[in-house]
Amino acid sequence: MNQPSKAPRSDSMTAAHAEDVTVAHAEGVTVAHDALVAFTADVFADRGVPAPRARTAAEALVHGDLTGLTSHGLANLTRLYLPALDEGRIDAGAEPEKITDTGAAVLLDGRRSLGLWAATEALELAADRAQQTGVALVTMRDATHFGCAGYHTARIARRGMVALLASNCGRQRIARPPGGRAALLGTNPFSVAAPAGEHPPYVLDMSTTVVPTGKVRAAARAGQPIPEGWLEDAQGRPVTDPEALDTGHGFLRWLGGDPATGAFKGYGLGLMVEVLAALVPGAGLGPDREALSGDGRPTGRDDDIGLTALVLAPGALRPGPDFLGEADGMFSALLDCPPLDPRRPVSYPGRPEALTAGHHREHGVPLYAEQYAELTALAAERGLTAPPPSPPVPATAPAPATAPAPASGKDTR
């Protein structure tokens, strides 16, 4: 068995990452994590979500801001979740229905339940089964948006198991097959998480398009252009106007860029997710003939989402301490790899986000001024208590060591 590395490591961010945190705070306010979760739980409960579910959903949503993946954090509270609840596209009190149960595999009908809660429930059910069988799968149709996939899988990694969560985008179509004229697929995200011994869990959390829609829309809200390579027009030419996504004049590109540089890999992964997460449970499919009858521009909404949760329990197959010790050795070796630039040490997916989360738990979660104003206005409108701002972060506040850019493939949809 590999022995855990005993090499000491710093608990401070690189200068570049610390500067990012300072800038984010300077443009707004910080709020204590627990207060932000409590307020968000109150907002969901106010819309009829049962209290325990509201708490889980709040933790899942605030996770985006806590870890720096802000396109999938509280920015989506009033933009996505509350309208969907008000319109009935999400059923606040729905209980997923068990359709099939073979022991190691379960099919659920999500019945439009709140995905921020239901995705965690699916993974926890799979983890409970996997402890006995070594592997278990829970797949769901008629699910709804669940935020950062990595939040849900990381919970299982902390239980000493390996988790996969994949989700299509229901009948929302915003990306075209390479060489095709019609949008047929969503961003189709997935996450894989595993224990890393004494280190933060490995958490890969990625869309199969080059970026998720949240990144593009964040640029649109900020009035900023996007880099070439994110969107293309109907003829495949680069688009740098983020508004083009929602006007239907810009298509997300696949991981890998164009066909010559590997777009078929991202496209292939997107189809993998469509098969695992939607075709298996019988959820809404992106590739459908109805999408071929229009002008090829993006169509549909992310209703009847499909998801698949798979959990592997190494401790049911071989001694758990052996697995965890070898995991520690594996990820320690990665962290000990000599960097090309000493200011940017080698990392792995999940570690930068975990260390950022630790910093924000201690000093407060940064929110833009407009975002905080939106939350306080929502509180006033519904008779809730807005979370108070935290004291400013000291300029010399210590923060965890990591590379300045997350290694995780950013975020989901």
Side-chain angles (χ1 to χ4, degrees):
M1 180 176 73
N2 293 332
Q3 296 299 315
S5 169
K6 300 301 182 182
R9 289 188 175 84
S10 170
D11 282 334
S12 61
M13 287 185 183
T14 61
H17 200 172
E19 182 179 354
D20 289 344
V21 171
T22 302
V23 169
H25 174 273
E27 295 177 352
V29 298
T30 59
V31 179
H33 174 256
D34 289 349
L36 205 53
V37 169
F39 169 74
T40 307
D42 287 345
V43 171
F44 282 129
D46 180 58
R47 285 308 207 278
V49 179
R53 299 184 187 184
R55 177 74 187 192
T56 298
E59 290 175 351
L61 187 58
V62 174
H63 173 84
D65 302 279
L66 179 70
T67 57
L69 305 178
T70 56
S71 64
H72 281 63
L74 283 166
N76 284 336
L77 181 62
T78 57
R79 184 190 73 81
L80 191 161
Y81 294 105
L82 297 187
L85 283 163
D86 293 342
E87 295 166 10
R89 294 175 59 209
I90 296 176
D91 185 338
E95 184 73 34
E97 178 185 1
K98 190 179 293 183
I99 304 299
T100 307
D101 187 347
T102 69
V106 176
L107 169 63
L108 298 174
D109 186 319
R111 302 175 65 195
R112 305 193 321 278
S113 54
L114 181 59
L116 290 164
W117 162 78
T120 278
E121 287 293 298
L123 270 166
E124 294 286 354
L125 174 59
D128 291 344
R129 300 283 180 95
Q131 284 184 319
Q132 305 301 319
T133 61
V135 58
L137 177 147
V138 175
T139 189
M140 183 185 298
R141 62 194 184 210
D142 205 11
T144 61
H145 196 284
F146 56 60
C148 293
Y151 166 79
H152 307 285
T153 57
R155 288 172 58 113
I156 307 306
R158 288 191 285 271
R159 291 179 58 175
M161 291 177 270
V162 179
L164 178 146
L165 179 63
S167 167
N168 84 330
C169 295
R171 293 187 174 87
Q172 183 183 44
R173 307 171 181 100
I174 51 181
R176 305 181 296 183
R181 290 188 179 276
L184 289 173
L185 288 160
T187 56
N188 287 18
F190 70 93
S191 174
V192 177
E198 298 293 323
H199 309 293
Y202 159 80
V203 184
L204 175 69
D205 185 351
M206 56 178 277
S207 61
T208 52
T209 50
V210 68
V211 289
T213 57
K215 288 286 185 182
V216 181
R217 290 179 176 130
R221 288 193 296 272
Q224 298 174 345
I226 57 174
E228 287 191 7
W230 287 16
L231 296 180
E232 63 185 19
D233 66 13
Q235 286 71 46
R237 296 172 299 206
V239 173
T240 58
D241 177 8
E243 301 283 356
L245 175 67
D246 285 329
T247 63
H249 295 92
F251 300 86
L252 279 173
R253 304 184 80 195
W254 294 105
L255 283 175
D258 58 41
T261 58
F264 282 100
K265 295 180 180 179
Y267 171 56
L269 288 172
L271 285 176
M272 175 195 75
V273 170
E274 196 78 22
V275 169
L276 293 178
L279 193 59
V280 168
L285 294 171
D288 190 278
R289 289 200 169 274
E290 68 180 13
L292 303 177
S293 59
D295 59 7
R297 290 194 289 181
T299 59
R301 299 198 302 184
D302 56 348
D303 294 324
D304 194 10
I305 288 171
L307 67 85
T308 285
L310 175 69
V311 175
L312 307 174
L317 304 173
R318 66 189 184 104
D322 288 358
F323 167 74
L324 294 175
E326 290 172 11
D328 188 274
M330 170 181 163
F331 287 97
S332 292
L334 289 169
L335 295 175
D336 290 339
C337 179
L340 293 174
D341 182 345
R343 297 171 300 176
R344 298 177 181 272
V346 174
S347 192
Y348 59 83
R351 185 171 184 267
E353 294 85 348
L355 299 179
T356 297
H359 179 77
H360 288 162
R361 286 183 188 278
E362 181 178 357
H363 299 291
V365 178
L367 301 174
Y368 286 103
E370 297 83 354
Q371 187 177 14
Y372 184 70
E374 187 176 76
L375 297 180
T376 56
L378 175 63
E381 174 190 337
R382 306 293 294 195
L384 303 174
T385 302
S390 301
V393 178
T396 58
T402 183
S408 66
K410 310 301 189 290
D411 40 34
T412 56
R413 294 189 188 87

